[in-house]
Amino acid sequence: MIDIESQYTKVLPSFFQRSDVVEIARDLLGKVLFTYLNGELTGGMIVETEAYCGETDRACHAFGKRTARTEPMYQPGGIAYVYLCYGIHHLFNVVTNKLGAADAVLIRALEPVVGLDIMLKRRQNKNAKLASGPGVLSQALGISTSLNGCSLQGDEIWIASEKEAKLPEIVAGKRIGVEYAGVDAHLPWRFGIKNHPEVSKKMS
DNA sequence: TCTAAGATGGGT
DNA sequence: CCCATCTTAGAA
């Protein structure tokens, strides 16, 4: 098994609690998301993200209201916001910014790094990519709404940076599936690693 | 209570 | 293009 301790350093709350969610969405590219659940370690490099900016962003769940579902988004940055979409898909977000600001970054695609056999077992689908798409990556890493509100400083789910990591080339585009958001639907708040196979081609 | 819509994914 | 699937939010 890979020696996680020596190759990666866990990303600290100060990274997530910065005020610019768009900047954090860009900075998360190239970092690695890990889960350790039921004795199974899986991890993937983040290659595609989307920023959602609180109560003023028409595409954000917290737009104009505060409900029970979005409560984790209002907590200080560095915890998980996981919700169920279309009744089927568990979508994983990283909460950012300070207490009271409902910002979050949706993780949209990973490049599998650790525990590929476990991901394959969980995915149970030989045709599709292992971790390309927000619902798919959650399935591959075993993420479900039971991790909603969970700290990213614990040992169930966390984000780490590779010590030797090089800065990725970044491309930006419109966010997906938010046509209803009016002018905010056009914001270039989706980010991907340039030419990466797990990132969808159309970035604008 | 009731119901429309949704930050998707997989198949045709 | 089509639709399974079910929680959530807002209306009644």
Side-chain angles (χ1 to χ4, degrees), chain A residues 106-122:
Chain A
L106 171 67
I107 307 301
R108 292 196 57 89
L110 303 175
E111 173 188 314
V113 173
V114 182
L116 298 233
D117 52 331
I118 299 162
M119 296 190 202
L120 199 58
K121 180 190 69 180
R122 288 177 181 148

Side-chain angles (χ1 to χ4, degrees), chain A residues 69 83-91 135 145:
Chain A
R69 177 178 63 154
Y83 74 96
L84 199 57
C85 184
Y86 295 107
I88 316 169
H89 309 289
H90 298 259
L91 303 209
T145 50

Side-chain angles (χ1 to χ4, degrees), chain A residues 70-89:
Chain A
T70 58
E71 202 53 34
M73 296 182 91
Y74 289 85
Q75 299 308 305
I79 66 172
Y81 167 49
V82 185
Y83 74 96
L84 199 57
C85 184
Y86 295 107
I88 316 169
H89 309 289

Side-chain angles (χ1 to χ4, degrees), chain A residues 61-73:
Chain A
H61 285 166
F63 173 67
K65 62 187 182 296
R66 181 167 181 162
T67 64
R69 177 178 63 154
T70 58
E71 202 53 34
M73 296 182 91

Side-chain angles (χ1 to χ4, degrees), chain A residues 33-109:
Chain A
L33 173 65
F34 289 99
T35 60
Y36 184 65
L37 303 165
N38 302 315
E40 297 181 310
L41 178 68
T42 49
M45 186 176 71
I46 297 168
V47 299
E48 187 176 345
T49 62
E50 279 177 2
Y52 287 87
C53 190
E55 294 187 340
T56 58
D57 174 4
R58 305 179 86 88
C60 182
H61 285 166
F63 173 67
K65 62 187 182 296
R66 181 167 181 162
T67 64
R69 177 178 63 154
T70 58
E71 202 53 34
M73 296 182 91
Y74 289 85
Q75 299 308 305
I79 66 172
Y81 167 49
V82 185
Y83 74 96
L84 199 57
C85 184
Y86 295 107
I88 316 169
H89 309 289
H90 298 259
L91 303 209
F92 170 73
N93 300 252
V94 177
V95 174
T96 71
N97 211 333
K98 61 186 198 285
L99 178 68
D103 297 358
V105 176
L106 171 67
I107 307 301
R108 292 196 57 89

Side-chain angles (χ1 to χ4, degrees), chain A residues 147-169:
Chain A
L147 290 174
N148 190 31
C150 186
S151 167
L152 302 178
Q153 300 306 121
D155 54 10
E156 286 191 303
I157 181 166
W158 69 95
I159 291 172
S161 54
E162 196 177 356
K163 289 177 182 172
E164 304 297 320
K166 50 188 186 305
L167 286 177
E169 262 199 278

Side-chain angles (χ1 to χ4, degrees), chain A residues 159-185:
Chain A
I159 291 172
S161 54
E162 196 177 356
K163 289 177 182 172
E164 304 297 320
K166 50 188 186 305
L167 286 177
E169 262 199 278
I170 298 175
V171 289
K174 289 193 283 197
R175 293 175 292 181
I176 289 179
V178 296
E179 292 75 17
Y180 60 86
V183 291
D184 290 342

